[in-house]
Amino acid sequence: MAAISKALVLGGKRGMLGAALAKALQAKGWEVTALDGSDIDYFSSNLSDVLAEAVDRLAPNCVFNAAGYTDVEKAEQEPEEAAALNRSLPAALGRALRERPARLVHYSTDFVFDGRKKTPYTIDDLPNPISVYGRTKYEGEQAILSLGLARFCIIRTAWLYGFGKKNFVSKILDICREKKNIAVVYDQIGSPTYAADLAKHSVELVELGGNGLFHIVNSGQANWSELASEAVNYLQMECQITPVTAQEFASKVQRPAYSVLDCTSFTQSTSVTPRPWPQALREYLMLEFPDGF
Ligand SMILES: NC(=O)c1ccc[n+]([C@@H]2O[C@H](COP(=O)([O-])OP(=O)(O)OC[C@H]3O[C@@H](n4cnc5c(N)ncnc54)[C@H](OP(=O)(O)O)[C@@H]3O)[C@@H](O)[C@H]2O)c1
């Protein structure tokens, strides 16, 4: 009988991706322990020791860090909290795992890029973040890379939606229930990604021993307005999506105008190509709203 693989998932109780990871791992026979901020004080001054103690006690083969400060707007007002979660936590986790056999899987974002490119970003493109969120996430990547770990994956992903947490798609649908017309930005283009697909592909990558930096997103690209329209049309809601520019929308934070991610490094390592985003979106909507909205 094959040995059971054990995973520790930070953010695996209430985090959107963390919960999807716990489910995907269990579906492949992994034993999963999910911990969050109520189990581990992410702001502790000896965080590395706290994490090392948890790793020694639970003896996982792999630690997935799906915890992070993900509120892009609020991060501009709370840069220290964002840095604690997005930079200091992965750094401490990396230090804790340096002398231990467990693999580290950490998640980062398309927002490490400035969005000036016009073709999909590869892992060889140089980040140049334009927001506090993007900067702190990039610093988290750098902190892990500087440790020279033997077994690690940094997975950049983008525009996530899924179960358990409010996300762009679910927020749009909530608004459409109340309003007949909403304005949605069309001049930002990215890679909408279903958290369940990302979780499944992460497990595939880990089981094949992938090491290094990867991009994992659903295939294709969309602007926010197209993503909103696809969801509203699928659920046959009577709500008009009016495309507007980011400037008209007057957001307090700068987001990349273009941040489509190229998944070549992931596909080369696994022979897997993520499915197109509209197909993944339809599955999410079908499962989340089986009786319609
Ligand atoms: N969402 C996206 O569109 C997106 C895009 C690209 C990359 N990513 C990356 O993917 C990863 C997972 O994102 P997600 O969307 O699954 O995030 P999420 O649902 O917001 O979950 C983040 C996790 O971090 C915890 N957390 C956040 N702030 C905290 C704080 N101040 N103190 C203690 N715990 C805190 C949350 O705990 P609670 O549930 O208890 O709050 C939760 O467990 C992150 O690294 C993120 O940067 C996300």
Side-chain angles (χ1 to χ4, degrees), residues 10-19 35-38 40 42-43 65-71 78 81 85-86 89 106-111 133 137 155-161 163-167 193 195 198 224:
L10 298 185
K13 287 183 177 168
R14 286 186 304 270
M16 182 167 61
L17 173 60
L35 299 179
D36 69 5
S38 62
I40 290 184
Y42 296 141
F43 300 90
N65 178 30
Y69 191 107
T70 55
D71 189 326
E78 296 187 344
E81 286 83 348
L85 267 288
N86 294 343
L89 169 59
H106 173 70
Y107 291 89
S108 190
T109 171
D110 55 330
F111 280 28
Y133 171 70
K137 292 297 294 185
I155 299 175
R156 292 193 190 124
T157 190
W159 293 32
L160 286 185
Y161 58 85
F163 306 110
K165 271 261 170 97
K166 285 284 162 213
N167 57 76
T193 299
L198 170 60
W224 294 111

Side-chain angles (χ1 to χ4, degrees), residues 207-236:
E207 289 186 337
L208 287 167
N211 251 341
L213 178 60
F214 298 91
H215 290 171
I216 305 183
V217 289
N218 281 121
S219 306
Q221 64 177 51
N223 63 49
W224 294 111
S225 174
E226 287 168 336
L227 174 57
S229 298
E230 189 78 21
V232 165
N233 291 340
Y234 177 80
L235 292 172
Q236 299 181 322

Side-chain angles (χ1 to χ4, degrees), residues 159 168-169 172 184-192 220-234 241-244 260 277-278 281 285:
W159 293 32
F168 173 79
V169 174
I172 289 289
V184 184
V185 169
Y186 73 86
D187 57 353
Q188 288 167 355
I189 299 167
S191 306
Q221 64 177 51
N223 63 49
W224 294 111
S225 174
E226 287 168 336
L227 174 57
S229 298
E230 189 78 21
V232 165
N233 291 340
Y234 177 80
I241 307 289
T242 304
V244 294
V260 177
W277 72 263
L281 177 70
L285 294 171

